[in-house]
Amino acid sequence: MDDGRRKSEKSRFDPLRKAPFRLDPIFRRKAEWLVTLPTFLWLTLFVAVPTLLVFVIAFRPANPYGGIGAGWTLDNVRALATPATLAIAWRTLWISLLTTAISLLLSIPAGYTIARASERWRNRLLMLVIVPFWTSFLVRVFAWRSLLHPEGPVKRVLEALGLVGPDATLLYNPAAVVLVMVYTFLPFTILPIYAAAEKFDFRLTEAARDLGARPFQAFRKVFLPGIRRGLLTAVLVVLIPSLGSYIIPDLVGGPGGEMLGNKIAQRVFTDRNLPLAAALSAVLVLAVLAPLAGVLVLQRKSKKADIIMGEAP
Amino acid sequence: MRRSRFPVVVTALVMAFFYLPIFILVANSFNPARFSSRWQGFSLVWYRRLFESPEIWAALKNTLLIAVSVTAVSVVLGTAAAYALHRYGQSRLQRVHYTLIYQPLVVPEILMGISLLMAFVAAGVPLGLFTVFLAHVTFCVSFVAMTVLGRLQDFDFSIVEAARDLGASPWQSARKVLIPALMPGIVAGALLAFTLSIDDFVITFFVAGPGSTTLPLRIYSMIKYGAPPMINALSTLLLAVTFTAVVASQRLARAKR
């Protein structure tokens, strides 16, 4: 404290002191590197290099000890073209697309309602969306596992209503995977749609109504294009993690609901074959890059791209 | 003009959909029945079992050890990164930097887990608490950086310039002006990092080794292999912790805006 004050007093009377922030370019450059280098190195070492490594290891043979052998091979890539792998890839794709579609269908009315609510209700509703957003992912999946359990409440209600027979199984099928994925990703899609709807000027839809548009027309032709950026963000935040899902199909999907993520984990933990796992992961990387690149291009067209955190509160 | 009731109805259903499973889970944690299908009165038996389980305490210890150290490191790295991105945003270096920071936010967790596992195996690093720590810092840094960046965008840098004009050294102006102004963002980022670290399952699952079982790993094996209703009790406690953290971070986010 004292030391600092003395120094600043001294510098106040120093006529040779350089003007603040008009630093010479070399100093500026040095300062930039100083604050950039730590994360830059860390993320290069633990994100960029490992991602590239996946593509390298996909072309290496496995060794019998669960490690990576010497030399190069195309066997892992060839193993991808089997009907079983293709079937899993196809299922991963449709489950993810269906999850995205259902999440959007539910999030658009919810985001709209929150944006149009009075300030008091808006804060309450936002809080209600944010709490599940922060809640342990495993806990939420587990809650559904016990709900859908053969002895669980959902089954009993459906049976009492005569909708399912006594031997119907609600767990361990692709439908259960979609249900739980929608449940987990819904907060992530509501938030960006709400953020876009909140900035939307609702006088535009009113004008459309005044000019004779029916409510649904005004919604589809004025409101939806107006929140386009929020919709794109919502698609990304649900589609990408869906494609990489692992816990949900593992806990509620059963063998009929397995996805690419499960296959990757099986190669790692059951077969202990890292190169095969790497080949599957490489496919997943490419599958994730496609929608990401698409949305980034679309977003660049409309202003700068701030995808996840830019719009979440 | 009359508004359609349809969106309000959907929103109400979505909220019910969000909270019904959670309510049932919390209720079941107080239900002594082993197969929680019938309500058999209020009981704390599962909580007592939970507190008597040595595995849970060991897992909790690992989880907190990792979460605290991860939060400390990622707050420092993330805040510096956010400052760099904001102050030098136009340079080519920062564009690459931004892409690097952005990647953990969009890459599915399983890909991060598997790529880190491969890097550790290739480099011969033994799996354990240390590899879990490295992996957690890697994704927490990005979340902290983005949270602090949000705060920086509202910050008026002329205050720092004023401090410099009045004779403060760069370090003094950072410590006495910039960092206090960013504090709500930094604390919010720290809370986020702490929660993410405590909660992470997928990445931890790939890079954990013997003796580094965390709470989510323990919960997973309890769910997967014979789930005693103890998980309901544990989940309820976790929910209480999360709920407190959310309320606290919301208060902070609103403070001094």
Side-chain angles (χ1 to χ4, degrees), chain A residues 188-212:
Chain A
F188 296 84
T189 51
I190 291 179
L191 290 175
I193 289 178
Y194 154 75
E198 205 240 311
K199 289 184 206 117
F200 181 77
D201 184 354
F202 282 100
R203 283 174 303 182
L204 292 174
T205 45
E206 279 164 29
R209 294 290 308 279
D210 282 343
L211 294 169

PDB file of all heavy atoms in Angstrom, chain A residues 188-212:
ATOM      1  N   PHE A 188     -31.199 -25.183 -22.643  1.00  0.00           N
ATOM      2  CA  PHE A 188     -30.169 -24.615 -23.506  1.00  0.00           C
ATOM      3  C   PHE A 188     -30.763 -24.023 -24.775  1.00  0.00           C
ATOM      4  O   PHE A 188     -30.162 -23.157 -25.389  1.00  0.00           O
ATOM      5  CB  PHE A 188     -29.143 -25.682 -23.892  1.00  0.00           C
ATOM      6  CG  PHE A 188     -28.363 -26.214 -22.738  1.00  0.00           C
ATOM      7  CD1 PHE A 188     -28.869 -27.228 -21.954  1.00  0.00           C
ATOM      8  CD2 PHE A 188     -27.124 -25.687 -22.418  1.00  0.00           C
ATOM      9  CE1 PHE A 188     -28.162 -27.710 -20.871  1.00  0.00           C
ATOM     10  CE2 PHE A 188     -26.409 -26.163 -21.346  1.00  0.00           C
ATOM     11  CZ  PHE A 188     -26.929 -27.177 -20.562  1.00  0.00           C
ATOM     12  N   THR A 189     -31.925 -24.519 -25.213  1.00  0.00           N
ATOM     13  CA  THR A 189     -32.529 -23.952 -26.422  1.00  0.00           C
ATOM     14  C   THR A 189     -33.471 -22.806 -26.067  1.00  0.00           C
ATOM     15  O   THR A 189     -33.613 -21.870 -26.841  1.00  0.00           O
ATOM     16  CB  THR A 189     -33.301 -25.021 -27.224  1.00  0.00           C
ATOM     17  OG1 THR A 189     -34.196 -25.689 -26.352  1.00  0.00           O
ATOM     18  CG2 THR A 189     -32.356 -26.005 -27.834  1.00  0.00           C
ATOM     19  N   ILE A 190     -34.115 -22.877 -24.902  1.00  0.00           N
ATOM     20  CA  ILE A 190     -35.030 -21.788 -24.535  1.00  0.00           C
ATOM     21  C   ILE A 190     -34.250 -20.492 -24.361  1.00  0.00           C
ATOM     22  O   ILE A 190     -34.682 -19.436 -24.827  1.00  0.00           O
ATOM     23  CB  ILE A 190     -35.802 -22.128 -23.239  1.00  0.00           C
ATOM     24  CG1 ILE A 190     -36.783 -23.268 -23.510  1.00  0.00           C
ATOM     25  CG2 ILE A 190     -36.564 -20.909 -22.735  1.00  0.00           C
ATOM     26  CD1 ILE A 190     -37.572 -23.705 -22.292  1.00  0.00           C
ATOM     27  N   LEU A 191     -33.082 -20.545 -23.717  1.00  0.00           N
ATOM     28  CA  LEU A 191     -32.358 -19.311 -23.403  1.00  0.00           C
ATOM     29  C   LEU A 191     -31.971 -18.486 -24.639  1.00  0.00           C
ATOM     30  O   LEU A 191     -32.265 -17.303 -24.681  1.00  0.00           O
ATOM     31  CB  LEU A 191     -31.143 -19.605 -22.515  1.00  0.00           C
ATOM     32  CG  LEU A 191     -31.521 -20.016 -21.084  1.00  0.00           C
ATOM     33  CD1 LEU A 191     -30.292 -20.410 -20.291  1.00  0.00           C
ATOM     34  CD2 LEU A 191     -32.263 -18.896 -20.370  1.00  0.00           C
ATOM     35  N   PRO A 192     -31.323 -19.070 -25.665  1.00  0.00           N
ATOM     36  CA  PRO A 192     -31.008 -18.218 -26.829  1.00  0.00           C
ATOM     37  C   PRO A 192     -32.249 -17.724 -27.562  1.00  0.00           C
ATOM     38  O   PRO A 192     -32.250 -16.600 -28.080  1.00  0.00           O
ATOM     39  CB  PRO A 192     -30.156 -19.123 -27.724  1.00  0.00           C
ATOM     40  CG  PRO A 192     -30.347 -20.492 -27.229  1.00  0.00           C
ATOM     41  CD  PRO A 192     -30.716 -20.401 -25.785  1.00  0.00           C
ATOM     42  N   ILE A 193     -33.312 -18.541 -27.594  1.00  0.00           N
ATOM     43  CA  ILE A 193     -34.529 -18.094 -28.287  1.00  0.00           C
ATOM     44  C   ILE A 193     -35.166 -16.948 -27.502  1.00  0.00           C
ATOM     45  O   ILE A 193     -35.593 -15.945 -28.081  1.00  0.00           O
ATOM     46  CB  ILE A 193     -35.503 -19.270 -28.487  1.00  0.00           C
ATOM     47  CG1 ILE A 193     -34.913 -20.204 -29.545  1.00  0.00           C
ATOM     48  CG2 ILE A 193     -36.875 -18.772 -28.912  1.00  0.00           C
ATOM     49  CD1 ILE A 193     -35.723 -21.426 -29.821  1.00  0.00           C
ATOM     50  N   TYR A 194     -35.161 -17.070 -26.180  1.00  0.00           N
ATOM     51  CA  TYR A 194     -35.668 -15.974 -25.354  1.00  0.00           C
ATOM     52  C   TYR A 194     -34.840 -14.710 -25.599  1.00  0.00           C
ATOM     53  O   TYR A 194     -35.399 -13.624 -25.784  1.00  0.00           O
ATOM     54  CB  TYR A 194     -35.629 -16.350 -23.865  1.00  0.00           C
ATOM     55  CG  TYR A 194     -35.520 -15.132 -22.990  1.00  0.00           C
ATOM     56  CD1 TYR A 194     -36.614 -14.304 -22.782  1.00  0.00           C
ATOM     57  CD2 TYR A 194     -34.304 -14.775 -22.408  1.00  0.00           C
ATOM     58  CE1 TYR A 194     -36.505 -13.157 -22.027  1.00  0.00           C
ATOM     59  CE2 TYR A 194     -34.179 -13.630 -21.648  1.00  0.00           C
ATOM     60  CZ  TYR A 194     -35.286 -12.824 -21.466  1.00  0.00           C
ATOM     61  OH  TYR A 194     -35.162 -11.686 -20.740  1.00  0.00           O
ATOM     62  N   ALA A 195     -33.495 -14.859 -25.617  1.00  0.00           N
ATOM     63  CA  ALA A 195     -32.621 -13.694 -25.779  1.00  0.00           C
ATOM     64  C   ALA A 195     -32.919 -12.980 -27.096  1.00  0.00           C
ATOM     65  O   ALA A 195     -32.942 -11.752 -27.160  1.00  0.00           O
ATOM     66  CB  ALA A 195     -31.152 -14.119 -25.726  1.00  0.00           C
ATOM     67  N   ALA A 196     -33.178 -13.758 -28.155  1.00  0.00           N
ATOM     68  CA  ALA A 196     -33.487 -13.139 -29.445  1.00  0.00           C
ATOM     69  C   ALA A 196     -34.886 -12.514 -29.414  1.00  0.00           C
ATOM     70  O   ALA A 196     -35.088 -11.404 -29.926  1.00  0.00           O
ATOM     71  CB  ALA A 196     -33.387 -14.186 -30.555  1.00  0.00           C
ATOM     72  N   ALA A 197     -35.847 -13.215 -28.795  1.00  0.00           N
ATOM     73  CA  ALA A 197     -37.228 -12.711 -28.762  1.00  0.00           C
ATOM     74  C   ALA A 197     -37.309 -11.433 -27.945  1.00  0.00           C
ATOM     75  O   ALA A 197     -38.110 -10.550 -28.226  1.00  0.00           O
ATOM     76  CB  ALA A 197     -38.165 -13.777 -28.191  1.00  0.00           C
ATOM     77  N   GLU A 198     -36.444 -11.344 -26.917  1.00  0.00           N
ATOM     78  CA  GLU A 198     -36.475 -10.181 -26.053  1.00  0.00           C
ATOM     79  C   GLU A 198     -36.054  -8.921 -26.814  1.00  0.00           C
ATOM     80  O   GLU A 198     -36.533  -7.829 -26.540  1.00  0.00           O
ATOM     81  CB  GLU A 198     -35.519 -10.433 -24.878  1.00  0.00           C
ATOM     82  CG  GLU A 198     -35.853  -9.654 -23.630  1.00  0.00           C
ATOM     83  CD  GLU A 198     -34.718  -8.766 -23.233  1.00  0.00           C
ATOM     84  OE1 GLU A 198     -33.581  -9.252 -23.172  1.00  0.00           O
ATOM     85  OE2 GLU A 198     -34.983  -7.583 -23.006  1.00  0.00           O
ATOM     86  N   LYS A 199     -35.143  -9.107 -27.800  1.00  0.00           N
ATOM     87  CA  LYS A 199     -34.694  -7.956 -28.587  1.00  0.00           C
ATOM     88  C   LYS A 199     -35.635  -7.677 -29.763  1.00  0.00           C
ATOM     89  O   LYS A 199     -35.494  -6.679 -30.441  1.00  0.00           O
ATOM     90  CB  LYS A 199     -33.277  -8.229 -29.131  1.00  0.00           C
ATOM     91  CG  LYS A 199     -32.224  -8.191 -28.042  1.00  0.00           C
ATOM     92  CD  LYS A 199     -30.832  -8.363 -28.643  1.00  0.00           C
ATOM     93  CE  LYS A 199     -29.865  -8.949 -27.655  1.00  0.00           C
ATOM     94  NZ  LYS A 199     -29.350 -10.268 -28.079  1.00  0.00           N
ATOM     95  N   PHE A 200     -36.558  -8.602 -30.000  1.00  0.00           N
ATOM     96  CA  PHE A 200     -37.447  -8.451 -31.153  1.00  0.00           C
ATOM     97  C   PHE A 200     -38.453  -7.331 -30.890  1.00  0.00           C
ATOM     98  O   PHE A 200     -38.973  -7.192 -29.791  1.00  0.00           O
ATOM     99  CB  PHE A 200     -38.168  -9.774 -31.399  1.00  0.00           C
ATOM    100  CG  PHE A 200     -39.093  -9.748 -32.575  1.00  0.00           C
ATOM    101  CD1 PHE A 200     -38.594  -9.833 -33.860  1.00  0.00           C
ATOM    102  CD2 PHE A 200     -40.467  -9.626 -32.394  1.00  0.00           C
ATOM    103  CE1 PHE A 200     -39.452  -9.806 -34.947  1.00  0.00           C
ATOM    104  CE2 PHE A 200     -41.320  -9.599 -33.480  1.00  0.00           C
ATOM    105  CZ  PHE A 200     -40.809  -9.692 -34.759  1.00  0.00           C
ATOM    106  N   ASP A 201     -38.711  -6.536 -31.925  1.00  0.00           N
ATOM    107  CA  ASP A 201     -39.661  -5.437 -31.800  1.00  0.00           C
ATOM    108  C   ASP A 201     -41.056  -5.954 -32.162  1.00  0.00           C
ATOM    109  O   ASP A 201     -41.370  -6.180 -33.326  1.00  0.00           O
ATOM    110  CB  ASP A 201     -39.231  -4.312 -32.755  1.00  0.00           C
ATOM    111  CG  ASP A 201     -40.115  -3.093 -32.603  1.00  0.00           C
ATOM    112  OD1 ASP A 201     -41.114  -3.166 -31.845  1.00  0.00           O
ATOM    113  OD2 ASP A 201     -39.816  -2.073 -33.245  1.00  0.00           O
ATOM    114  N   PHE A 202     -41.883  -6.141 -31.125  1.00  0.00           N
ATOM    115  CA  PHE A 202     -43.169  -6.789 -31.365  1.00  0.00           C
ATOM    116  C   PHE A 202     -44.152  -5.891 -32.112  1.00  0.00           C
ATOM    117  O   PHE A 202     -45.212  -6.347 -32.521  1.00  0.00           O
ATOM    118  CB  PHE A 202     -43.766  -7.301 -30.053  1.00  0.00           C
ATOM    119  CG  PHE A 202     -43.129  -8.577 -29.612  1.00  0.00           C
ATOM    120  CD1 PHE A 202     -42.148  -8.583 -28.633  1.00  0.00           C
ATOM    121  CD2 PHE A 202     -43.474  -9.780 -30.213  1.00  0.00           C
ATOM    122  CE1 PHE A 202     -41.534  -9.754 -28.259  1.00  0.00           C
ATOM    123  CE2 PHE A 202     -42.863 -10.954 -29.839  1.00  0.00           C
ATOM    124  CZ  PHE A 202     -41.881 -10.947 -28.851  1.00  0.00           C
ATOM    125  N   ARG A 203     -43.775  -4.600 -32.296  1.00  0.00           N
ATOM    126  CA  ARG A 203     -44.657  -3.754 -33.100  1.00  0.00           C
ATOM    127  C   ARG A 203     -44.705  -4.248 -34.541  1.00  0.00           C
ATOM    128  O   ARG A 203     -45.663  -4.016 -35.254  1.00  0.00           O
ATOM    129  CB  ARG A 203     -44.169  -2.310 -33.053  1.00  0.00           C
ATOM    130  CG  ARG A 203     -44.539  -1.639 -31.741  1.00  0.00           C
ATOM    131  CD  ARG A 203     -43.920  -0.269 -31.666  1.00  0.00           C
ATOM    132  NE  ARG A 203     -42.477  -0.343 -31.822  1.00  0.00           N
ATOM    133  CZ  ARG A 203     -41.666   0.707 -31.751  1.00  0.00           C
ATOM    134  NH1 ARG A 203     -42.159   1.906 -31.555  1.00  0.00           N
ATOM    135  NH2 ARG A 203     -40.378   0.572 -31.878  1.00  0.00           N
ATOM    136  N   LEU A 204     -43.619  -4.986 -34.937  1.00  0.00           N
ATOM    137  CA  LEU A 204     -43.585  -5.508 -36.302  1.00  0.00           C
ATOM    138  C   LEU A 204     -44.694  -6.525 -36.541  1.00  0.00           C
ATOM    139  O   LEU A 204     -45.359  -6.494 -37.573  1.00  0.00           O
ATOM    140  CB  LEU A 204     -42.222  -6.148 -36.586  1.00  0.00           C
ATOM    141  CG  LEU A 204     -41.040  -5.184 -36.640  1.00  0.00           C
ATOM    142  CD1 LEU A 204     -39.741  -5.953 -36.783  1.00  0.00           C
ATOM    143  CD2 LEU A 204     -41.207  -4.231 -37.810  1.00  0.00           C
ATOM    144  N   THR A 205     -44.893  -7.430 -35.566  1.00  0.00           N
ATOM    145  CA  THR A 205     -45.974  -8.406 -35.762  1.00  0.00           C
ATOM    146  C   THR A 205     -47.325  -7.713 -35.702  1.00  0.00           C
ATOM    147  O   THR A 205     -48.249  -8.081 -36.419  1.00  0.00           O
ATOM    148  CB  THR A 205     -45.928  -9.537 -34.722  1.00  0.00           C
ATOM    149  OG1 THR A 205     -45.720  -8.967 -33.441  1.00  0.00           O
ATOM    150  CG2 THR A 205     -44.831 -10.536 -35.010  1.00  0.00           C
ATOM    151  N   GLU A 206     -47.424  -6.693 -34.842  1.00  0.00           N
ATOM    152  CA  GLU A 206     -48.694  -5.964 -34.767  1.00  0.00           C
ATOM    153  C   GLU A 206     -48.994  -5.275 -36.092  1.00  0.00           C
ATOM    154  O   GLU A 206     -50.136  -5.293 -36.568  1.00  0.00           O
ATOM    155  CB  GLU A 206     -48.646  -4.940 -33.627  1.00  0.00           C
ATOM    156  CG  GLU A 206     -48.931  -5.587 -32.285  1.00  0.00           C
ATOM    157  CD  GLU A 206     -48.512  -4.718 -31.115  1.00  0.00           C
ATOM    158  OE1 GLU A 206     -48.523  -3.484 -31.249  1.00  0.00           O
ATOM    159  OE2 GLU A 206     -48.157  -5.295 -30.068  1.00  0.00           O
ATOM    160  N   ALA A 207     -47.936  -4.713 -36.690  1.00  0.00           N
ATOM    161  CA  ALA A 207     -48.115  -4.070 -37.997  1.00  0.00           C
ATOM    162  C   ALA A 207     -48.594  -5.088 -39.018  1.00  0.00           C
ATOM    163  O   ALA A 207     -49.509  -4.819 -39.807  1.00  0.00           O
ATOM    164  CB  ALA A 207     -46.810  -3.433 -38.449  1.00  0.00           C
ATOM    165  N   ALA A 208     -47.986  -6.285 -38.972  1.00  0.00           N
ATOM    166  CA  ALA A 208     -48.383  -7.329 -39.911  1.00  0.00           C
ATOM    167  C   ALA A 208     -49.860  -7.675 -39.727  1.00  0.00           C
ATOM    168  O   ALA A 208     -50.604  -7.833 -40.698  1.00  0.00           O
ATOM    169  CB  ALA A 208     -47.512  -8.572 -39.724  1.00  0.00           C
ATOM    170  N   ARG A 209     -50.284  -7.754 -38.442  1.00  0.00           N
ATOM    171  CA  ARG A 209     -51.699  -8.055 -38.172  1.00  0.00           C
ATOM    172  C   ARG A 209     -52.584  -6.930 -38.718  1.00  0.00           C
ATOM    173  O   ARG A 209     -53.618  -7.189 -39.323  1.00  0.00           O
ATOM    174  CB  ARG A 209     -51.934  -8.203 -36.668  1.00  0.00           C
ATOM    175  CG  ARG A 209     -51.241  -9.404 -36.025  1.00  0.00           C
ATOM    176  CD  ARG A 209     -51.848 -10.714 -36.455  1.00  0.00           C
ATOM    177  NE  ARG A 209     -53.295 -10.757 -36.286  1.00  0.00           N
ATOM    178  CZ  ARG A 209     -53.916 -11.015 -35.143  1.00  0.00           C
ATOM    179  NH1 ARG A 209     -53.225 -11.260 -34.063  1.00  0.00           N
ATOM    180  NH2 ARG A 209     -55.224 -11.040 -35.087  1.00  0.00           N
ATOM    181  N   ASP A 210     -52.153  -5.691 -38.497  1.00  0.00           N
ATOM    182  CA  ASP A 210     -52.941  -4.562 -38.978  1.00  0.00           C
ATOM    183  C   ASP A 210     -53.102  -4.597 -40.489  1.00  0.00           C
ATOM    184  O   ASP A 210     -54.108  -4.181 -41.029  1.00  0.00           O
ATOM    185  CB  ASP A 210     -52.257  -3.239 -38.594  1.00  0.00           C
ATOM    186  CG  ASP A 210     -52.491  -2.907 -37.139  1.00  0.00           C
ATOM    187  OD1 ASP A 210     -53.418  -3.501 -36.564  1.00  0.00           O
ATOM    188  OD2 ASP A 210     -51.739  -2.085 -36.573  1.00  0.00           O
ATOM    189  N   LEU A 211     -52.055  -5.107 -41.146  1.00  0.00           N
ATOM    190  CA  LEU A 211     -52.096  -5.151 -42.605  1.00  0.00           C
ATOM    191  C   LEU A 211     -52.823  -6.391 -43.101  1.00  0.00           C
ATOM    192  O   LEU A 211     -52.793  -6.696 -44.285  1.00  0.00           O
ATOM    193  CB  LEU A 211     -50.678  -5.096 -43.175  1.00  0.00           C
ATOM    194  CG  LEU A 211     -49.954  -3.771 -42.905  1.00  0.00           C
ATOM    195  CD1 LEU A 211     -48.497  -3.879 -43.257  1.00  0.00           C
ATOM    196  CD2 LEU A 211     -50.623  -2.656 -43.703  1.00  0.00           C
ATOM    197  N   GLY A 212     -53.432  -7.131 -42.168  1.00  0.00           N
ATOM    198  CA  GLY A 212     -54.317  -8.209 -42.593  1.00  0.00           C
ATOM    199  C   GLY A 212     -53.753  -9.605 -42.454  1.00  0.00           C
ATOM    200  O   GLY A 212     -54.375 -10.567 -42.877  1.00  0.00           O
TER     201      GLY A 212
END
